[in-house]
Amino acid sequence: MNESSSWPRDVIPHRRLCLAADMEQYSRLDTRTQSAVQADLVRLLEETAKLTGLDRAAWARQPQGDQEFAVLPEGTPEATVLGPFVHHLAVRLGILNARPAAPRVRLRLAIDTGVVADAALGHAGPAPVAVARYVNAPQLKAALAALTSADLAVIVSDRLYQDVVRLGHPGLEPAQYVQAHVRVKEFGGYGWIRVPGHGPDEVRPSVEVVGGSLPSLDGPVSSRTVLSQYVHQGAAVGRDVSGGLNVGLPVIPPSVGPWRDW
């Protein structure tokens, strides 16, 4: 039985773009300031979406205090989100943080695409869980902590990097991203980090210190394990996952036989 046949009849999964924006050091703020920066984040995302030509009203949003998780409508141009949206977000953050005597807002942004379905507590599927893990990647946190002048650090999934960033769309520069092997809870997968306004040589040291070297891909295929990245009927609830979870398990590729479309 394939995964799609196991979905309840009233649940229709679709391939959607997901993002999560999380505020840095939010817990250190007092209650009044937390309320103010939450309003700042909502306004910031609304302004950025408008500048980018995205219909923010059509986003399926899950506010989570210091974070907003959102599922964007089907057909949202991925290159627009990875390029102009990120650019305008960085610019708007700079303007926001230039206000005198206002609390500084620094964001971690994670973006992925994949199967998403509506669920009782929000959304279910691989992409919502992956985004929740990517936004909490130690390498992403380390990059933002090390580059104190930066207001934004971005991580995109490997599938988005390979399918969109590497194609060379205007505003997307593959060389500006640094690869990271992300392991958070049961999740394992590759992501690509960039910090607007900072080059890869500035980002790479903190990424490598936290993550170490990437897993080796040397040696015969039969002797290697390949990290998969999937969730079996998992539902993203806040920053945890409920449901049958099966993420980042090692898969042994076949050593013989013709190429198969997995």
Side-chain angles (χ1 to χ4, degrees):
M1 178 182 294
N2 58 37
E3 183 175 348
S4 61
S5 65
S6 64
W7 290 93
R9 291 185 179 182
D10 59 342
V11 175
I12 303 175
H14 296 276
R15 189 163 296 277
R16 309 273 288 278
L17 196 65
C18 301
L19 63 82
D22 197 328
M23 287 185 283
E24 191 79 355
Q25 297 185 345
Y26 174 85
S27 61
R28 298 184 182 183
L29 305 175
D30 59 36
T31 302
R32 181 178 178 181
T33 307
Q34 286 180 352
S35 178
V37 297
Q38 283 189 32
D40 286 338
L41 176 59
V42 172
R43 184 169 55 253
L44 184 72
L45 293 174
E46 289 175 349
E47 292 174 350
T48 302
K50 184 177 180 179
L51 287 169
T52 312
L54 299 175
D55 183 7
R56 169 95 164 144
W59 293 18
R61 300 164 50 204
Q62 286 182 239
Q64 298 168 12
D66 61 341
Q67 178 188 131
E68 180 177 293
F69 167 77
V71 178
L72 279 57
E74 285 187 85
T76 299
E78 295 168 345
T80 298
V81 175
L82 297 178
F85 179 84
V86 169
H87 168 74
H88 287 302
L89 182 60
V91 172
R92 298 306 300 176
L93 267 171
I95 295 172
L96 180 72
N97 289 331
R99 299 173 302 172
R104 186 180 181 190
V105 177
R106 305 181 78 212
L107 293 181
R108 303 189 311 275
L109 181 70
I111 311 172
D112 193 10
T113 185
V115 174
V116 181
D118 294 336
L121 296 176
H123 297 89
V129 176
V131 163
R133 300 301 181 245
Y134 278 127
V135 81
N136 285 299
Q139 297 95 328
L140 187 66
K141 293 181 178 181
L144 192 58
L147 300 172
T148 56
S149 63
D151 294 320
L152 177 66
V154 182
I155 184 168
V156 304
S157 65
D158 185 63
R159 80 187 102 208
L160 276 177
Y161 180 84
Q162 301 299 338
D163 292 347
V164 181
V165 176
R166 288 189 63 187
L167 293 181
H169 289 280
L172 299 181
E173 301 180 43
Q176 293 299 308
Y177 293 77
V178 176
Q179 190 180 33
H181 181 219
V182 177
R183 299 185 69 90
V184 179
K185 296 186 177 180
E186 302 87 351
F187 176 87
Y190 288 96
W192 294 81
I193 295 173
R194 81 176 180 99
V195 178
H198 296 267
D201 290 340
E202 298 176 87
V203 176
R204 189 171 290 109
S206 54
V207 170
E208 291 180 346
V209 164
V210 172
S213 59
L214 296 173
S216 174
L217 296 180
D218 297 330
V221 172
S222 59
S223 67
R224 303 199 310 254
T225 60
V226 178
L227 271 178
S228 65
Q229 177 186 308
Y230 65 94
V231 177
H232 181 61
Q233 297 179 342
V237 183
R239 295 184 182 175
D240 294 317
V241 176
S242 67
L245 180 63
N246 196 8
V247 184
L249 296 179
V251 176
I252 308 297
S255 58
V256 295
W259 170 262
R260 296 176 57 189
D261 183 3
W262 293 97

